[in-house]
Amino acid sequence: MPSSPTPSPTPEPSGVRRRSLLGAAAAAPVLASLAGAGSASAAPAASATATATAGPAGGPRALPGGGDLGPNVIVFDPSTANIQGRLDEIFKQQESAQFGTGRYALLFKPGTYSGLNAQLGFYTSIAGLGLSPDDTTINGDVTVDAGWFDGNATQNFWRSAENLALVPVSGTNRWAVSQAAPFRRMHVRGGLNLAPDGYGWASGGYIADSRIDGTVGPYSQQQWYTRDSSVGGWLNAVWNMVFSGVEGAPAQSFPEPPYTTLETTPVSREKPFLYLDGDEYRVFLPEKRTDARGVSWGNGTPRGTSLPLAQFYVAGPDDSAATLNQALEEGLHLLLTPGIYHLDRTVEVNRAGTVVLGLGYATLIPDNGVTALKVADVDGVRLAGFLVDAGPVNSSTLLEVGPEGASADHSANPTTVQDVFVRIGGAGPGKATTSLVVNSRHTIVDHTWVWRADHGDGVGWETNRADYGVVVNGDDVLITGLFVEHFNKYDVQWNGERGRTVFFQNEKAYDAPDQAAIQNGSIKGYAAYKVGDDVTEHEGWGLGSYCYYNVNPSIVQHHGFAAPNRSGVRFHGLLVVSLGGNGQYECVINDTGSPTSGTDTVPSKVVQYP
C-alpha cells in the first residue's frame, strides 16, 4: 500500500496523512476479491406565516413563530426549472470546503423528479418534504464521492440525506462517506455502494430507518452502523459492521466475518423532520419504539405527532443567544436555519418537550468559554441536526444534557440527541475540557461524532486541547452510533449505571508527543472507552478503537477499553487496531486480548468480555 495519499487538490494540512492509511492493509484483500463482483433554478426560500401567539403565561409573545427559512434553505418542486444547475452550483462551492462557512439545506416538495444527480459536498443536507420517503421520488442519484480528495473518502464528513426515495440510474446509488454523514428515512429502489469510485478508503457511517431494496456493498468501509432498517443483502465486512433491528442483516458472526447483529434496537425514537402538510410547514415528531425492528414508515404514515412551524422560532445566524433564549422562554421551539451562530451566553432549554432542530448543519460557536447549550432535567427534549464548534476560549463543557446530579425518571419520554456533532479545532483554534456531558437519566444519543480535530487549522496537542469527549453520568442512558475521536485523555468516560452502547468507533489522539504525555498513573494511555470503577451494570456491542501515533510511533497504549471486572459489565465484539504500526496496543480490554504488532494493520479482537 502507499505510505501516503496521492496529492490533494490543496496543500495537505498537518495531520491529514494518517487518515489516508486507515484500513488500507485490512481492506486490500477484500477489495481484491470483490473487484469483479435561491436562483432561477430553485423555488423561492421557504416561509410560513409569522404569528405572535400566546406565550406560556397567556400573554402575547414578543417574538413571532414561523417565518422565512432564509436564503440557504432552497426548496424545489417538480416544476422548478434547471434543478440540476442549482445542485451543481452548490456542489461546486461545497465539494472541498471542509472548514468553510457555507451551509445549505436542499428540500424537495413531494412529487417525482427525473434525471437528477444531487452530488453532496460539505455542510449540505438534502431531504424530501413528505411524511413518507415514498412521497418524494428522485429518478436519479444522491451521490457522495471523493474526487476532491483523489478517491479517498476518509474525510467526507458533515453531509446528510433524509426522507427521499431514489431510483438510481445505474441501479446502485453511491454514498461514500465517513463520520457525521447520516442516511436517514431513505428508500433506495436498488443497491447502495458505500465506497468511493475506484474503491479507495472510507471510514465508517450510519444508516437509520431506511429501506434498501438491493444489496449494500461496503467494499472498503472499515466500519458501519445500521439501525431499524431493511436491506436486500449485505456484501462484505472489513473491521466492524454492526446492525440492530435490521431486516435482512447478516447473522451474528463476530469475529469472522466481523458482524455484530442485534435482532432489535432496545429503545429508539426517530429524528424530528420538517414536512409539508398542503402548503403549511410542520415538524413531525416520531414516537418512541421499544425493541424496534424495520422502518418506522413501512405501513404509510409514521406514528407520532406534529407541530406547526408557527410554534417554532425560525432562527438565523444573526440571532443572538439572548434572542434564542427569549424564544425558548416564550414557549417556542427552535428551528436553526443554515449558518454559523456565535453565542456569548448559553442557550438554555428548560421546558419539557422542547424541540431544537437544525437545518443544513447549523453551527453553534461559544465565543467566550461558555457552554453552547444546556438542557434541564425535564422530559422529552429533542435535539437534532446541528454542529457545536468549540471557540478559542476554553469551555468547560460544550453541550450538557441535564444538570449535575439530575435524577428524574424519563423512561416514558426521554431526551434524544440525534445527528448532533461536536468539533474542537479544525476550522480554527478551539478548546473544551469536556465536549458532551449526559446527566439526565434515560437519554438516547442516536448518532454523534465528537471530534477533536487532527487536521485543519488550530490543531496541536495543546492548541486544541480537549481532555474528554463524552462523559455519561446519568443512569439508563443508551447510545446508538457513537463516534468519538482523538481526545487528550478519555474519549468516553461512563459513570452512570445500566448504560448501553450499540456501535462505537474511535481513534486515539494522533499527536501525543511522547509516552509521558498520555500516561494515566501506572497505566500506559487513557482508554478510549472507560466504564467507571463503581459501575455494576453496563453493556456494549460492536466497539472498536484504533491508534495512529504519527508524531511518536513508539508510543504504547495498554488497552482500548477499561471496565470493572464484574458479571454485570459485559461487552460483545471488541477490537483494537494499530494503523500501520504507528503505536501499539498491549491488550484489548483491561488485561485481556492479544497485543497488536507490526505494521500490517490487523485487528486484535475479543468476542465476549468477561
Side-chain angles (χ1 to χ4, degrees), residues 120-147:
L120 300 187
F122 287 97
Y123 313 109
T124 305
S125 298
I126 188 170
L129 286 169
L131 262 181
S132 165
D134 289 324
D135 292 340
T136 311
T137 297
I138 293 178
N139 291 306
D141 297 84
V142 171
T143 301
V144 178
D145 208 342

Side-chain angles (χ1 to χ4, degrees), residues 40-63:
S41 63
S47 64
T49 302
T51 58
T53 53
R61 289 186 177 122
L63 294 173

Side-chain angles (χ1 to χ4, degrees), residues 228-253:
D228 296 357
S229 294
S230 174
V231 299
W234 194 274
L235 189 60
N236 71 287
V238 176
W239 287 343
N240 190 32
M241 299 290 167
V242 181
F243 309 84
S244 67
V246 179
E247 298 167 346
Q252 169 71 33
S253 59

